[in-house]
Amino acid sequence: MNDHQKTYLALPHLNAGLLSPEELEQLAALARTYHIPKIKITGAQRVAFLGMEPEALAALKEELHIPDAPPHARNQVHYVQACPGRTWCQFGQGDALALGERIKAIELDGPLPYKVKVGISGCRFCCCESWVRDVGLAAEKKGWRFSFGGNGAGRPRIGDLVAEGLSDDEAVSLVTRTLNYYLREAKFKTRSARFMERFGIEALKKAVLG
């Protein structure tokens, strides 16, 4: 079997943005058990096992209780990228890591229309490229700035500014309302950038801020 017939798995509960020594030991143990040749830290700060045999992939997914359904078919976001924030960075204005955990835990009213990427930056340097994420959060002295509808792919788009000066609780609440509005109104497999081009920022603000 050549390398093109092998596969990979991104581990959903091991975020490469912050790993403990115990999690690193777990990664090494899994890699040895399933004969995984390479471990990749992805652009989304996730851990991916590369070069897996299909049989190993099936066994590992069963051991880790990873469902076969794609992440966006469930009622949570699955791609949350957060910088070290004020916990670990001298420039940090907000606790990006803590807010990232809260965003990942949001329970939405239903499955999202398509994948949603979240970028949480602890300061205006915007290391997680928040302006080109579906959900962008960046900390400033007065609070979190929230933008929606960014995209960095084939048709790049800067996200629309929805609100600023938000506390942690206000940011989580507003992101929840915005994503619920998006999942109700957007057509299946419509990214937020294309959705915003059609609906516009004023319609979104009226729905989620009014």
Side-chain angles (χ1 to χ4, degrees):
M1 179 180 292
N2 61 42
D3 289 340
H4 296 294
Q5 293 173 294
K6 295 182 180 180
T7 186
Y8 70 95
L9 176 67
L11 303 183
H13 302 302
L14 286 173
N15 190 319
L18 195 67
L19 289 171
S20 68
E22 291 76 18
E23 287 171 329
L24 287 172
E25 290 169 352
Q26 180 188 11
L27 285 175
L30 288 171
R32 293 189 187 99
T33 298
Y34 291 96
H35 307 289
I36 296 163
K38 293 292 181 182
I39 299 175
K40 177 75 170 67
I41 307 303
T42 72
Q45 295 183 341
R46 288 181 292 183
V47 175
F49 284 164
L50 307 180
M52 301 179 66
E53 303 290 348
E55 297 78 10
L57 173 63
L60 182 57
K61 289 177 71 173
E62 182 176 356
E63 177 177 338
L64 298 178
H65 307 291
I66 299 173
D68 289 327
H72 61 267
R74 303 189 289 276
N75 64 336
Q76 291 179 303
V77 297
H78 71 286
Y79 177 118
V80 179
Q81 183 181 13
C83 77
R86 68 182 178 209
T87 307
W88 302 100
C89 177
Q90 63 177 321
F91 301 110
Q93 298 288 334
D95 191 341
L97 293 171
L99 187 60
E101 291 301 314
R102 293 187 63 180
I103 296 295
K104 283 193 287 187
I106 290 173
E107 294 283 344
L108 299 170
D109 292 343
L112 290 159
Y114 212 10
K115 61 184 176 182
V116 166
K117 297 182 177 183
V118 180
I120 305 176
S121 302
C123 75
R124 293 176 63 89
F125 288 149
C126 219
C127 291
C128 287
E129 302 172 339
S130 305
W131 281 112
V132 290
R133 302 300 186 203
D134 299 271
V135 170
L137 290 158
E140 301 174 334
K141 288 184 178 180
K142 58 185 178 181
W144 293 99
R145 182 193 69 218
F146 170 42
S147 58
F148 186 70
N151 191 293
R155 291 170 59 191
R157 185 177 191 272
I158 301 297
D160 293 291
L161 180 62
V162 181
E164 50 191 338
L166 303 170
S167 67
D168 288 10
D169 288 343
E170 289 170 336
V172 172
S173 178
L174 186 53
V175 168
T176 303
R177 293 198 302 275
T178 300
L179 290 176
N180 279 328
Y181 173 73
Y182 167 57
L183 72 85
R184 286 194 305 269
E185 302 294 335
K187 295 180 180 178
F188 181 59
K189 286 197 173 182
T190 299
R191 288 293 297 274
S192 67
R194 311 288 80 87
F195 171 76
M196 289 301 294
E197 287 170 350
R198 179 182 175 191
F199 277 76
I201 184 61
E202 295 308 318
L204 178 71
K205 284 184 175 181
K206 183 177 180 181
V208 302
L209 298 177

